[in-house]
Amino acid sequence: LSELWDVDWLALQESEVSVLSSIIIPVFNELRYTQQCLQAIFQYCDITRTQIIIIDNGSTDGTLEFLSSQSDIDFISNSENKGFAGAVNQGLQRARGKYLVVMNNDVIVTKDWLDRLIRAAESSPHIGVVGPMTNWISGPQRDPLAKYENLEAMHAYAADTRQTYEHVVIPCQQVRGFLMCITGEMLRIVGGFDEQFHIGNYEDDDFCLRISRAGFQTVIARDVFVHHVGSVTFNNLDIAYQKI
């Protein structure tokens, strides 16, 4: 993907890293989910070591005005919808962190989530991407026992998960793009997301396949649980997920 990626940025030296992590969130409308997502990030992250980058893909519901008023957010505004891959790549090229977190705006993080994802990434030099467990996703990251009726109960379930599965890291074929923690070293080798997937779907499959071919591993931090609503942007666009 050398023609799609900023090769100069990929040559970034470790000394230029200015924060521990950069959180990259592409959004299109659904302001209430973005606000809820950010509230949890501010509550459960050390903002002094975290760069938050939000890429707006042409929202028309007040998202642009809200994000423009937030002093703690690095904000990118697109006049048209560049899709998930295009927006994420914009964020990755602006990121200054040693670890890059790609996240959907319909995710609610929990206590210690980022520290534990990074801890899992640092447990082996061969790990390139780490993902959490959640209530709603396809594949092994979905926790079938995650049943709760409100956010308070969700956070209680996340606390039980942290205690029960402390330090457990599970190898997997791929990590889903609703939330993935990417090491900067791996990104400099593999590059960003393939924008040929346009609006979305399968760019995370492709990304993880390229990671594997480059000799890196994708893993799940079993002691991290976050809430995921699922398919918010696709529902908003009235696009048939299975058709895409």
Side-chain angles (χ1 to χ4, degrees):
L1 292 177
S2 59
E3 295 181 357
L4 297 176
W5 196 244
D6 185 343
V7 179
D8 290 337
W9 186 86
L10 294 178
L12 176 71
Q13 298 297 313
E14 192 72 21
S15 60
E16 295 178 324
V17 172
S18 58
V19 291
L20 178 62
S21 57
S22 297
I23 300 175
I24 298 154
I25 309 173
V27 302
F28 176 74
N29 290 330
E30 299 298 342
L31 174 58
R32 61 188 177 119
Y33 287 109
T34 301
Q35 292 172 324
Q36 192 171 236
C37 177
L38 286 172
Q39 182 180 6
I41 289 173
F42 283 120
Q43 182 175 357
Y44 296 112
C45 283
D46 181 354
I47 300 303
T48 63
R49 300 191 303 161
T50 307
Q51 175 192 21
I52 301 174
I53 306 170
I54 296 187
I55 307 93
D56 180 71
N57 267 333
S59 295
T60 57
D61 67 341
T63 293
L64 182 64
E65 292 77 10
F66 168 75
L67 294 176
S68 299
S69 68
Q70 303 302 303
S71 60
D72 295 326
I73 293 174
D74 194 346
F75 172 49
I76 300 173
S77 176
N78 294 324
S79 59
E80 60 181 7
N81 195 332
K82 293 183 177 293
F84 181 84
V88 168
N89 283 346
Q90 286 180 293
L92 290 173
Q93 293 188 39
R94 186 172 290 191
R96 305 191 309 271
K98 180 179 180 181
Y99 294 94
L100 302 311
V101 177
V102 175
M103 181 191 302
N104 288 355
N105 69 329
D106 62 345
V107 170
I108 300 177
V109 296
T110 56
K111 184 179 178 181
D112 296 336
W113 70 282
L114 184 53
D115 288 342
R116 287 170 180 255
L117 290 178
I118 292 174
R119 182 177 68 185
E122 292 179 341
S123 65
S124 168
H126 303 294
I127 294 176
V129 173
V130 182
M133 296 294 291
T134 191
N135 60 300
W136 186 253
I137 203 68
S138 61
Q141 289 176 266
R142 182 174 182 177
D143 184 348
L145 300 179
K147 308 292 183 182
Y148 42 81
E149 296 182 355
N150 52 52
L151 290 182
E152 182 179 359
M154 184 276 291
H155 284 290
Y157 185 82
D160 290 340
T161 299
R162 289 193 297 273
Q163 182 176 5
T164 302
Y165 298 98
E166 182 80 30
H167 292 288
V168 175
V169 176
I170 303 173
C172 60
Q173 286 189 325
Q174 65 185 62
V175 168
R176 293 300 183 186
F178 78 99
L179 199 167
M180 50 171 58
C181 179
I182 306 165
T183 66
E185 177 185 0
M186 185 279 299
L187 190 69
R188 288 191 286 272
I189 295 172
V190 174
F193 287 80
D194 191 336
E195 298 182 21
Q196 294 179 88
F197 292 95
H198 191 49
I199 292 296
N201 285 330
Y202 297 105
E203 67 283 300
D204 51 352
D205 299 73
D206 172 80
F207 186 63
C208 290
L209 178 60
R210 286 159 43 216
I211 291 169
S212 177
R213 287 179 172 176
F216 290 92
Q217 297 176 347
T218 55
V219 301
I220 301 169
R222 187 61 183 87
D223 59 355
V224 180
F225 181 90
V226 302
H227 179 73
H228 180 221
V229 177
S231 301
V232 165
T233 297
F234 284 100
N235 292 337
N236 183 41
L237 288 172
D238 195 25
I239 295 175
Y241 185 91
Q242 293 298 332
K243 183 178 180 179
I244 292 179

